[in-house]
Amino acid sequence: MFSVDFVTWNNVSQKVLLKIKILRLFLKDRAVRRKDREITEFAEIKNIFDKAKVLRIALNNGEYPYIFPVNFGYETDGENFILFFHGSKEGTKHEIIRKNNRVAFEIDCEHQLVLPLGKKSCTTSFAYESIIGQGIVEKAAEEEKEYMLIALLKHYGITADTFDRAHLANTVVYKIKVLHYSAKRRKAER
């Protein structure tokens, strides 16, 4: 379990910094129940981000959460993660983010069905690696968009040097400043 301090980030108002500090206090005591599955090594956690292909984001939409899958990219600042995704300039997620920029997210990979032992179905399980966390989402600055989109494509093995200016103008890129996360692994062997 990790917490991050984003005091050094550019363009963050004092009001936002205060909200981040309050959220960090709330989130820091959350612990992984199964310590035998917890992953704490930064390199292993980064490897999970590298392998994952879908980022699921949950937003607070009042009565029910709003969750959606996205392609994503990420970068690190020390042991802090910044996730980013893109989309059109209109839609439900944009409206919800404008109202409440606190998010939860999840990624997973290395899926494998663990077959039951004999005829006891309750011994069936599933192997995986996952990261679950919370953060603050905001629009990336115009000058960050192209860099983040190139990094997003690189995450999927696609090389790009530049983007068409018209496409950039019609695309919004969001970045999630990860405040807290936990990583777990359930191995396939018994």
Side-chain angles (χ1 to χ4, degrees):
M1 182 171 61
F2 299 88
S3 295
V4 250
D5 191 354
F6 293 102
V7 175
T8 59
W9 281 19
N10 297 328
N11 303 324
V12 179
S13 71
Q14 292 301 318
K15 186 176 179 181
V16 171
L17 285 174
L18 180 59
K19 285 181 181 180
I20 289 171
K21 288 179 182 179
I22 291 168
L23 282 169
R24 285 182 65 223
L25 288 173
F26 172 74
L27 297 171
K28 76 175 188 171
D29 293 326
R30 295 185 180 191
V32 172
R33 181 180 60 86
R34 295 285 309 261
K35 294 293 185 192
D36 58 319
R37 295 182 182 171
E38 183 176 28
I39 302 169
T40 58
E41 292 296 321
F42 181 77
E44 289 184 73
I45 293 165
K46 189 174 179 296
N47 189 41
I48 295 171
F49 275 111
D50 288 339
K51 291 186 286 187
K53 300 302 178 202
V54 177
L55 171 68
R56 292 167 192 86
I57 301 171
L59 303 172
N60 184 352
N61 192 22
E63 189 174 353
Y64 295 99
Y66 181 78
I67 187 166
F68 55 96
V70 293
N71 296 341
F72 74 102
Y74 78 94
E75 64 182 7
T76 59
D77 177 16
E79 291 195 3
N80 304 327
F81 287 97
I82 304 161
L83 312 177
F84 35 88
F85 62 97
H86 75 290
S88 66
K89 291 190 169 187
E90 298 177 8
T92 303
K93 68 179 163 257
H94 307 292
E95 293 302 318
I96 297 170
I97 290 170
R98 275 190 269 261
K99 295 176 191 172
N100 185 341
N101 67 341
R102 291 178 288 175
V103 302
F105 67 89
E106 186 272 348
I107 63 167
D108 53 75
C109 59
E110 298 297 322
H111 310 113
Q112 183 180 345
L113 180 65
V114 178
L115 297 173
L117 296 171
K119 296 189 182 256
K120 294 183 177 183
S121 62
C122 61
T123 61
T124 302
S125 189
F126 207 76
Y128 64 89
E129 293 178 346
S130 69
I131 300 173
I132 297 173
Q134 298 83 27
I136 301 293
V137 63
E138 64 183 31
K139 282 185 182 178
E142 286 298 316
E143 60 270 12
E144 295 176 301
K145 284 170 52 171
E146 186 171 32
Y147 163 79
M148 289 181 168
L149 290 170
I150 289 170
L152 186 152
L153 290 175
K154 184 178 178 184
H155 180 76
Y156 295 93
I158 301 168
T159 303
D161 295 329
T162 187
F163 279 83
D164 180 276
R165 295 293 153 211
H167 288 148
L168 281 176
N170 292 321
T171 302
V172 64
V173 176
Y174 283 102
K175 59 185 177 181
I176 299 172
K177 298 174 182 179
V178 177
L179 301 177
H180 171 270
Y181 62 90
S182 59
K184 288 176 36 175
R185 175 184 296 120
R186 199 299 189 189
K187 294 182 181 179
E189 63 267 355
R190 295 205 184 257

